[in-house]
């Protein structure tokens, strides 16, 4: 029997833990043509969740479009990814495909056989010499005609939406998208894990998207549901894990969805019956497997940010600016700590615990690794 735990985005037909409330709410927001900002730390299951919501909506004959802006390189690229997502969904659905061809005037689809025997889809600008901004404006305007023409609910998910901020025309892109999205009768989900950056787009008064969408935070999985899910996965696949051990397993990584699955994966590989010892051994494997990711994160930080991150992992402070804390960890001046705190928060590496003055690392396994490195 194969290992049931997933390390990648979960396919819509694979076992999924809970998120019942979120599935229902997000579906209902989409049906109300509302726009939603869905945010969480990395690997909490945003993409998997939205794909599920879209698949449920598609089963009720909605048009669902999913564009991923990860690593987007230019305004033209933003426009092309949007157009490709529309052609991607409509391909193989003759009447919608015709509508897409009729309405989407900025890009045409290019279909080519791929080496695996399938068909690969890309897009190219319909006319040459247009600027990226013009192409985006025309694409989003075309999208409006497509939405009207399709006469169905249209749900559009823009994953890693905060990446548009990295482009030099960011404000212009925000303004174009906002103006057109405002008049469309569609539902948009803006998804991302750089929470400060994403929320800045929607919650800063001077920005085009100010207060135009529902803020929707996604938390960790609930311990009761996650522990049941984990023990069930072991049982279904021929091994044994009591609910107590399931709870121990997921609590050891703060019910972080990705780490719970990955720890489950390692523990499943190692034992027939889950015990405290196998969980500990699995945790060590997990930390080692994440090490290259953590090292890359640290390499991108300044020495002072690294020092502060490590201090926070070793001793989450009641008050980060307390003189004794700063002294104990050799953090220098109060101003320096303030500055690094803000930068680590912008990078989504640290967060406040609730509304308190207490700071902690966002990633529980990064914290464990930092506590273990000398
Ligand atoms: N409801 C769930 N049940 C079980 N596992 C889950 C669930 N949600 C997420 N996971 C686990 O978390 C992993 C990450 O999921 P996903 O890629 O959807 O997260 P994400 O928030 O989009 O991540 P990123 O911030 O990197 O884009 C999945 O591979 C899976 O292992
Ligand atoms: Mg994702």
């Amino acid at each position: 029997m194969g290992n049931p735990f997933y390390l990648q985005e979960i396919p819509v037909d694979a076992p999924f833990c809970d998120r019942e409330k979120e599935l229902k709410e997000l579906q209902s927001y989409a049906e109300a043509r509302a726009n939603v900002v869905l945010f969480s730390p990395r690997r909490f299951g945003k993409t998997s969740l939205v794909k599920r919501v879209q698949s449920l909506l598609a089963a009720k004959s909605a048009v669902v479009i999913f564009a991923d802006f990860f690593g987007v390189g230019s305004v033209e690229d933003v426009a092309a990814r949007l157009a490709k997502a529309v052609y991607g969904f409509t391909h193989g659905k003759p009447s919608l495909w015709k509508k897409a061809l009729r309405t989407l005037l900025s890009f045409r689809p290019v279909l080519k056989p791929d080496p695996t025997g399938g068909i690969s889809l890309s897009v190219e600008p319909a006319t040459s010499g247009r600027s990226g901004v013009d192409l985006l404006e025309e694409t989003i305007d075309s999208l409006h005609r497509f939405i009207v023409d399709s006469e169905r609910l249209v749900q559009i998910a823009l994953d890693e939406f905060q990446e548009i901020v990295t482009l030099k025309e960011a404000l212009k892109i925000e303004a174009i998208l906002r103006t057109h999205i405002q008049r469309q009768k569609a539902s948009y989900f803006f998804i991302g894990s750089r929470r400060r950056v994403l929320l800045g787009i929607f919650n800063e008064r001077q920005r085009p998207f100010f207060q135009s969408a529902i803020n929707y935070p996604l938390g960790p999985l609930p311990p009761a549901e996650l522990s049941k899910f984990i023990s069930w996965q072991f049982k279904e696949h021929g091994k044994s894990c009591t609910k107590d051990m399931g709870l121990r397993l997921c609590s050891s990584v703060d019910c972080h969805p990705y780490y719970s699955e990955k720890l489950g994966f390692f523990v499943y590989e190692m034992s027939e019956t889950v015990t405290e010892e196998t969980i500990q051994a699995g945790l060590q494997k997990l930390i080692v497997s994440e090490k290259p990711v953590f090292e890359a994160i640290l390499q991108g930080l300044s020495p002072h940010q690294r020092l502060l991150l490590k201090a926070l992992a070793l001793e989450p402070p009641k008050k980060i600016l307390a003189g004794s804390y700063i002294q104990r960890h050799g953090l220098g001046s109060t101003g320096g700590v303030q500055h690094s705190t803000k930068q680590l928060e912008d990078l989504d590496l640290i967060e406040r615990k609730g509304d308190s003055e207490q700071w902690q690392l966002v990633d529980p396994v990064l914290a464990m690794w930092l506590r273990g490195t000398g």
Side-chain angles (χ1 to χ4, degrees):
M1 249 178 232
N3 196 317
F5 292 99
Y6 271 87
L7 307 183
Q8 254 104 50
E9 184 193 306
I10 307 185
V12 287
D13 53 356
F16 197 62
C17 173
D18 191 44
R19 299 294 195 208
E20 294 298 329
K21 178 170 150 280
E22 290 85 354
L23 284 166
K24 229 180 163 164
E25 282 178 353
L26 290 171
Q27 254 194 101
S28 133
Y29 288 148
E31 281 164 350
R33 271 61 169 184
N35 298 332
V36 173
V37 190
L38 175 67
F39 58 98
S40 77
R42 288 219 54 200
R43 297 159 169 179
F44 263 38
K46 300 175 292 296
T47 303
S48 311
L49 176 64
V50 167
K51 293 255 170 102
R52 254 159 221 259
V53 172
Q54 288 202 327
S55 140
L56 292 166
L57 293 169
K60 295 195 230 165
S61 80
V63 172
V64 293
I65 294 163
F66 189 97
D68 186 355
F69 289 149
F70 182 75
V72 75
S74 64
V75 192
E76 176 173 341
D77 194 12
V78 172
R81 289 185 194 208
L82 261 176
K84 186 176 168 192
V86 176
Y87 287 124
F89 178 77
T90 54
H91 186 232
K93 303 178 181 73
S95 107
L96 282 171
W97 178 253
K98 264 193 229 144
K99 285 184 207 277
L101 286 176
R102 196 167 55 231
T103 51
L104 267 175
L105 303 176
S106 50
F107 287 89
R108 2 166 227 266
V110 181
L111 295 166
K112 283 194 191 132
D114 72 13
T116 62
I119 287 184
S120 86
L121 168 78
S122 58
V123 293
E124 61 183 24
T127 46
S128 58
R130 313 282 310 274
S131 76
V133 168
D134 284 351
L135 273 172
L136 180 63
E137 193 130 33
E138 192 171 335
T139 305
I140 190 94
D141 198 34
S142 304
L143 203 52
H144 176 64
R145 283 194 299 276
F146 173 77
I147 291 163
V148 173
D149 230 32
S150 67
E151 295 172 327
R152 309 180 191 195
L153 167 65
V154 178
Q155 204 296 311
I156 301 167
L158 306 180
D159 206 0
E160 305 295 352
F161 184 67
Q162 77 273 337
E163 298 250 331
I164 61 160
V165 170
T166 58
L167 301 172
K168 63 177 187 311
E169 303 88 344
L171 259 184
K172 195 142 202 188
I173 303 176
E174 284 178 36
I176 294 173
L177 292 178
R178 166 73 170 130
T179 310
H180 289 273
I181 286 174
Q182 189 165 247
R183 66 190 179 106
Q184 292 177 0
K185 282 210 158 12
S187 150
Y188 277 80
F189 290 171
F190 305 94
I191 307 155
S193 50
R194 291 282 305 278
R195 291 171 289 172
R196 298 264 298 180
V197 183
L198 184 67
L199 292 177
I201 300 175
F202 293 89
N203 299 309
E204 285 170 12
R205 198 167 282 281
Q206 73 284 10
R207 308 272 287 264
F209 273 104
F210 178 60
Q211 288 188 338
S212 63
I214 298 165
N215 287 327
Y216 198 94
L218 186 68
L221 286 162
E225 296 304 324
L226 186 53
S227 51
K228 249 193 280 171
F229 177 78
I230 288 171
S231 9
W232 172 79
Q233 291 272 61
F234 273 95
K235 196 159 156 240
E236 282 289 293
H237 288 76
K239 300 203 173 183
S240 136
C241 174
T242 61
K243 281 218 190 84
D244 271 359
M245 278 301 130
L247 188 59
R248 279 287 307 127
L249 191 153
C250 60
S251 318
S252 68
V253 287
D254 295 352
C255 293
H256 187 294
Y258 168 77
Y259 287 137
S260 300
E261 287 260 356
K262 199 158 185 180
L263 181 55
F265 178 91
F266 285 128
V267 174
Y268 183 92
E269 289 296 301
M270 283 188 306
S271 55
E272 293 304 313
T273 303
V274 179
T275 61
E276 191 61 51
E277 289 70 39
T278 52
I279 295 175
Q280 286 312 316
L283 258 181
Q284 289 317 310
K285 283 212 159 164
L286 175 65
I287 294 170
V288 171
S289 82
E290 296 300 308
K291 190 172 163 232
V293 180
F294 297 155
E295 284 174 344
I297 292 175
L298 289 203
Q299 254 162 28
L301 301 179
S302 73
H304 189 262
Q305 290 164 359
R306 260 179 249 153
L307 201 63
L308 179 60
L309 195 67
K310 180 142 188 190
L312 294 174
L314 286 168
E315 186 196 353
K318 291 230 161 45
K319 274 208 166 110
I320 199 164
L321 296 177
S324 55
Y325 185 77
I326 292 181
Q327 211 172 23
R328 208 160 41 249
H329 293 280
L331 293 169
S333 69
T334 313
V337 173
Q338 270 170 329
H339 186 66
S340 291
T341 305
K342 174 156 186 327
Q343 288 184 318
L344 291 176
E345 190 189 14
D346 281 349
L347 290 167
D348 245 280
L349 290 172
I350 63 170
E351 65 188 356
R352 277 178 208 273
K353 209 170 173 183
D355 289 332
S356 72
E357 277 300 302
Q358 293 185 38
W359 288 85
Q360 62 187 12
L361 265 68
V362 172
D363 185 324
V365 179
L366 172 61
M368 280 179 220
W369 178 70
L370 281 171
R371 285 196 287 272
T373 56

